[in-house]
Amino acid sequence: MFTLNPQSGIPIYRQLVEQIRRMVAGGQLKAGDELPSVRDLAVEHAVNPMTISKAYSQLELEGVLVRQRGKPMQVAAQQHSANSEYARLQHLQPHIEQLVLVAKQLEISDKVLLASLREQLAKK
């Protein structure tokens, strides 16, 4: 369900938080969907359970997830505006900014960058 990369330089809990946010915003996770238990996810990805718990707790504080005693964490009911295309695009903004910065540092023209993006989008 989630892809966690310990070699990425991004803390595991941040990877998990960002993936869950994107999946909720994109509609892959809907209100009421249950997430894997802390223990199961920790075992599956060979990480400390506190790492998973930290991610879930942060998302709970943000209102993305809800905790019900004795039940798995669930996706909270989201306000409709959170699923707008603009709101979903905001999840991409830091990545777009980073891509533009790297392209400029590599002296890749806008035309070539856009062509490469179109090519990648066509593969999906």
Side-chain angles (χ1 to χ4, degrees), residues 22 86-98:
R22 286 191 301 263
Y86 176 77
R88 293 191 316 264
L89 186 58
Q90 294 310 309
H91 289 275
L92 275 179
Q93 199 59 41
H95 303 287
I96 293 170
E97 291 169 4
Q98 181 66 24

Side-chain angles (χ1 to χ4, degrees), residues 42-90:
V43 168
E44 179 181 344
H45 292 283
V47 297
N48 189 316
M50 290 304 295
T51 301
I52 307 301
S53 183
K54 181 177 181 178
Y56 280 7
S57 293
Q58 181 174 337
L59 290 165
E60 183 181 18
L61 286 172
E62 293 174 11
V64 175
L65 300 179
V66 291
R67 185 183 316 259
Q68 296 178 347
R69 190 174 184 125
K71 294 184 178 180
M73 288 292 271
Q74 294 181 339
V75 176
Q78 304 295 310
Q79 295 182 356
H80 185 350
S81 63
N83 292 326
S84 72
E85 189 169 34
Y86 176 77
R88 293 191 316 264
L89 186 58
Q90 294 310 309

